[in-house]
Amino acid sequence: MIRCLAIDDEPLALQQLVTYIEKVPFLELAGKASNAVEAHAILQKEAIDALFCDINMPDLNGMDFVKSLAAPPLVVFTTAYADYAVDGFRVNAVDYLLKPFGLDEFRRAANRLQERLTSEAQQQAAPAVHADDDSLYVKSDYRVVRIQVSKIRYVEAMSEYLRIYIEGEAKPVTTLLSMKKLEEWLPDTFMRIHRSYIVNLQQVQEVNKNRIILDADTYLPIGDMYRDAFQQYLDKRFLGRSM
């Protein structure tokens, strides 16, 4: 099931999204919101795979809302204005529904969501090969790059690609590789904390509510699906319980 969040400031349009989501067998309504603030609160609490998001909303429009998210789910934009279509695809939107749209158009967008998620799950990326106990090799920009595993700070998933952030390097290494494949190679000093993030646990400086802090400029969200495992890791190392 694809867990969806419906966002629209118009009550009738929001109800239409809810109704259409409920009519597609592989979609599950995880929440609904009438503005970006409500949507953000739901994203903090729920594991969301996809957004059906109106663009023209007061205060913060849907496009800017998606851009503001550190690790946005897949998104299908809805709007009455065709001029936004190009911008929608610039933020890697799966599809763009021009109002008024019917159930058939909505189903086509839902099918594209399913195809994208299936592609991510089944992706067979370029192989990563261990050279020794603390190195792996990945393909990046037609090159094969050696990465010292202990210097990896964190890994971010970006659609079909990964960005590997390395200590002392200004830019991440970008490679066509699945999160699952990389997880198989990384040692147990690394942990998946979100659908879009793997973190080097030795780089963690602070844990604040639902996020991990690596430094003053780097905050990573902890996803609901991964929170229990991370909490167990903390509990084994927490020395303040008896205080």
Side-chain angles (χ1 to χ4, degrees):
M1 297 291 284
I2 302 173
R3 290 174 55 80
C4 302
L5 173 58
I7 312 168
D8 201 305
D9 64 309
E10 299 178 5
L12 291 179
L14 181 59
Q15 184 55 50
Q16 181 190 46
L17 283 175
V18 169
T19 299
Y20 284 177
I21 288 171
E22 292 173 344
K23 287 181 179 292
V24 178
F26 55 82
L27 298 184
E28 176 185 352
L29 181 67
K32 59 181 180 178
S34 59
N35 56 60
V37 175
E38 290 179 6
H40 189 268
I42 293 172
L43 286 169
Q44 292 292 100
K45 298 177 181 178
E46 299 288 340
I48 303 295
D49 299 310
L51 307 177
F52 286 91
C53 183
D54 183 34
I55 293 177
N56 302 93
M57 296 189 296
D59 298 326
L60 185 66
N61 69 42
M63 195 78 65
D64 290 337
F65 168 63
V66 172
K67 289 178 181 178
S68 73
L69 299 175
L74 298 180
V75 59
V76 173
F77 283 119
T78 68
T79 186
Y81 301 94
D83 293 343
Y84 284 108
V86 174
D87 288 336
F89 287 110
R90 282 177 181 166
V91 295
N92 201 28
V94 173
D95 207 350
Y96 182 92
L97 291 170
L98 185 62
K99 297 178 181 179
F101 54 87
L103 181 57
D104 286 345
E105 293 168 285
F106 182 87
R107 280 178 173 153
R108 283 195 289 271
N111 287 336
R112 291 189 179 104
L113 274 176
Q114 188 180 47
E115 289 169 3
R116 176 75 70 84
L117 287 170
T118 300
S119 175
E120 289 181 0
Q122 295 179 346
Q123 176 189 350
Q124 297 297 321
V129 181
H130 277 288
D132 52 51
D133 290 339
D134 192 39
S135 296
L136 57 81
Y137 290 85
V138 298
K139 290 182 180 179
S140 180
D141 295 331
Y142 306 103
R143 300 173 298 140
V144 176
V145 180
R146 177 181 179 272
I147 297 175
Q148 189 172 338
V149 174
S150 60
K151 289 190 175 182
I152 297 174
R153 302 187 69 216
Y154 66 98
V155 180
E156 179 183 17
M158 301 291 292
S159 185
E160 297 180 348
Y161 291 83
L162 299 183
R163 288 178 179 171
I164 304 174
Y165 291 82
I166 302 167
E167 186 177 350
E169 300 292 337
K171 294 182 179 180
V173 173
T174 301
T175 183
L176 180 65
L177 190 66
S178 69
M179 291 286 269
K180 182 178 179 181
K181 186 70 174 179
L182 185 59
E183 278 186 285
E184 293 174 356
W185 286 104
L186 290 174
D188 57 11
T189 51
F190 289 80
M191 180 177 289
R192 183 86 171 262
I193 59 165
H194 189 277
R195 178 173 172 265
S196 300
Y197 290 102
I198 295 173
V199 68
N200 183 344
L201 296 167
Q202 296 178 340
Q203 294 277 340
V204 176
Q205 300 299 315
E206 184 178 335
V207 180
N208 189 336
K209 296 182 180 178
N210 293 327
R211 62 184 183 176
I212 286 172
I213 300 173
L214 301 187
D215 56 46
D217 300 314
T218 310
Y219 301 78
L220 305 181
I222 303 172
D224 287 345
M225 294 176 60
Y226 307 92
R227 186 170 292 115
D228 287 347
F230 183 71
Q231 187 60 52
Q232 289 175 15
Y233 166 80
L234 288 182
D235 289 344
K236 292 178 179 178
R237 292 157 179 79
F238 186 57
L239 302 180
R241 187 176 302 276
S242 61
M243 293 179 63

